[in-house]
Amino acid sequence: MKTTTGYSGIQIALHWLIAVLIAVAWFTGEGAGDAMEIVEEGGVAGFVPHVAIGLAILALVVVRVLVRLGRGAPAAPGQPGSMSVVAADWGHRLLYLLMIAVPLGGVSTWFLGLDVGELHELAANILMIVALGHAAMAIFHQYVLKDGLLRRMMRAE
Ligand code: HEM
Ligand code: HEM
């Protein structure tokens, strides 16, 4: 994977836009559950905000992964191969995996009629927990270690 000196403007914009949309998707999930029940009882669900937001996330994450593969990213701070660097790299990989798997689970439930709604909900909850841990680590770096990490996701380089 290519190592850069910083994230690009596109990478930063996608990071924050997707983070906000994931939070909105998480809070609107119940509406999709209600819509599923209506459909299962033979009714018509109409426009479901959660599905629209979830699809937007999936599309943006695909773009984000392509940009990441093409451009690369800065190395995590610390000694290469150290515990903290390995943990950061695997944490980020896990976030990417969940950002793809969760919307695909939603698509499988809503469009393909597969019985994976509960799995989708579980994976979404895990995504939120990992993302909160990730945010906590970012804040720890910024305000306890005072290494200016947050700036890397604020200013393009
Ligand atoms: C749903 C919410 C979020 C998701 C899914 C997410 C995901 C990610 C991912 C996958 C990366 C790695 C990017 C890469 O190297 O390609 C990243 C980096 C980063 N995120 Fe988040 N993030 C979220 C929310 C937040 C929040 C709330 C904060 C701040 C409080 C934050 C701060 C950062 C910072 C500072 C980096 C750069 C880390 C570095 O340079 O090594 N993120 N995020
Ligand atoms: C990152 C994106 C997403 C997140 C964080 C997310 C989150 C959630 C959560 C937390 C629930 C459970 C709500 C509850 O019952 O209290 C849920 C349910 C649901 N979501 Fe998503 N979702 C995402 C993407 C999608 C997408 C792309 C679709 C469809 C195209 C979708 C369709 C559904 C459906 C149909 C349910 C109801 C499942 C059932 O009750 O069996 N979601 N989602």
Side-chain angles (χ1 to χ4, degrees):
M1 191 58 66
K2 251 177 280 177
T3 306
T4 58
T5 53
Y7 293 103
S8 67
I10 292 282
Q11 283 176 309
I12 293 171
L14 285 169
H15 173 269
W16 294 114
L17 178 60
I18 291 168
V20 169
L21 289 176
I22 286 176
V24 177
W26 193 75
F27 283 109
T28 56
E30 224 176 309
D34 297 343
M36 276 297 284
E37 275 178 36
I38 294 173
V39 171
E40 275 160 14
E41 284 159 16
V44 178
F47 179 72
V48 183
H50 180 77
V51 170
I53 294 160
L55 289 177
I57 293 169
L58 182 57
L60 290 168
V61 171
V62 169
V63 174
R64 181 169 172 187
V65 169
L66 291 176
V67 172
R68 174 71 161 81
L69 292 175
R71 187 178 192 271
Q79 282 291 344
S82 66
M83 269 286 287
S84 62
V85 169
V86 172
D89 287 347
W90 280 100
H92 291 164
R93 282 179 198 134
L94 178 61
L95 281 167
Y96 278 121
L97 179 73
L98 288 166
M99 280 191 282
I100 293 167
V102 169
L104 286 183
V107 168
S108 307
T109 309
W110 185 254
F111 293 110
L112 308 179
L114 301 181
D115 189 16
V116 291
E118 272 180 33
L119 202 63
H120 170 63
E121 181 176 357
L122 176 68
N125 289 341
I126 293 172
L127 169 59
M128 286 304 278
I129 291 166
V130 178
L132 284 176
H134 163 74
M137 284 313 297
I139 288 165
F140 179 76
H141 270 272
Q142 181 72 20
Y143 296 105
V144 181
L145 301 181
K146 298 191 198 307
D147 60 3
L149 184 81
L150 219 47
R151 218 181 316 128
R152 305 214 304 185
M153 242 340 149
M154 299 280 188
R155 208 171 45 205
E157 257 179 62

